[in-house]
């Protein structure tokens, strides 16, 4: 008998939310939590996560472009990320954590920019017909909280410079996706302290682990 065993496929967890919601703050915490259960973790991000994807990210975050170009480049970066990082990681048994995935394209390109949702569904069906996150943590805050956090901390990129109405549409689309896919989404109230939010994450993940 062949003694080489195929590893149990890892879990795919995505982090979503409007800019300034606090998702990046919690990725390190979730990484350590999962590692403490003896799992290997691959933490990555979109757009980006591969050398080509990071070059696309630079263009996407700083160049003005047609909204369809923007959507296509997001999915081009994603295609590469799936091929180079996500699928090999999951197949090797690692838990793959991604700072954003396709829900962000629905929220930003479709909700925020107004690109027909059917276009997004077509791209999703093309680029990852059989892959969806096992768990999506949606960090949710009202717009004024997100704006305050952004203004306090950094130089704003192309998306972060958008007006409130844009983020209101992004947030609404995120919440619509969460309602559409309740089995994989957890909406995390990110207005609370970092410690209180981490307690919610711990409870959500320990059930999952
Ligand atoms: P995102 O990745 O969602 O854009 P970040 O994680 O970078 O947001 O958070 C934006 C800013 O808000 C950071 O300076 C971070 O320290 C701060 N922040 C995040 N979560 C909280 C929180 N629960 N309470 C107060 N400040 C927070
Ligand atoms: P973000 O992930 O928030 O990184 P940082 O925390 O370093 O600013 O930045 C990526 C930006 O790209 C964010 O504003 C959302 C946007 N985005 C889309 O518009 N569509 C997508 O499909 C993805 C993955 C991101």
């Amino acid at each position: 008998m062949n003694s080489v065993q195929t590893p149990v496929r890892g879990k795919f967890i995505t982090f979503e939310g409007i800019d300034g919601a606090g998702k990046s703050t919690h990725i390190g915490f979730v990484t350590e939590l999962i590692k403490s259960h003896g799992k290997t973790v691959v933490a990555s991000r979109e757009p980006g996560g591969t050398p080509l994807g990071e070059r696309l990210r630079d263009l996407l975050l700083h160049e003005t472009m047609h909204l369809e170009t923007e959507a296509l480049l997001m999915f081009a970066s994603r295609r590469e990320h799936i091929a180079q990082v996500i699928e090999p990681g999951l197949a090797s048994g690692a838990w793959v954590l991604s700072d954003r995935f396709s829900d962000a394209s629905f929220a930003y390109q479709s909700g925020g920019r107004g690109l027909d949702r059917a276009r997004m569904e077509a791209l999703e069906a093309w680029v990852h017909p059989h892959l969806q996150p096992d768990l999506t943590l949606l960090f949710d805050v009202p717009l004024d909280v997100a704006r305050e956090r952004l203004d306090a901390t950094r130089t704003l990129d192309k998306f972060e410079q958008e007006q409130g109405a844009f983020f209101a549409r992004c947030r609404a689309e995120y919440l619509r996706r969460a309602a559409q896919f309740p089995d994989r989404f957890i909406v995390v109230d990110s207005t609370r302290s970092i410690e209180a939010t981490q307690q919610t994450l711990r409870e959500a993940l320990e059930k999952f682990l």
Side-chain angles (χ1 to χ4, degrees), residues 19 23-24 45-47 57 61 70 74 78 99-102 104-105 108-109 154 157 159-160:
D19 290 275
K23 74 191 157 40
S24 308
R45 68 172 181 181
E46 290 197 0
R57 179 185 177 92
L61 267 50
E70 187 177 276
M74 288 293 177
R78 183 161 300 132
D99 189 342
R100 302 190 186 279
F101 191 59
S102 290
S105 297
Y108 282 77
Q109 279 64 56
R154 55 192 185 225
D157 66 36
F159 291 99
E160 290 164 347

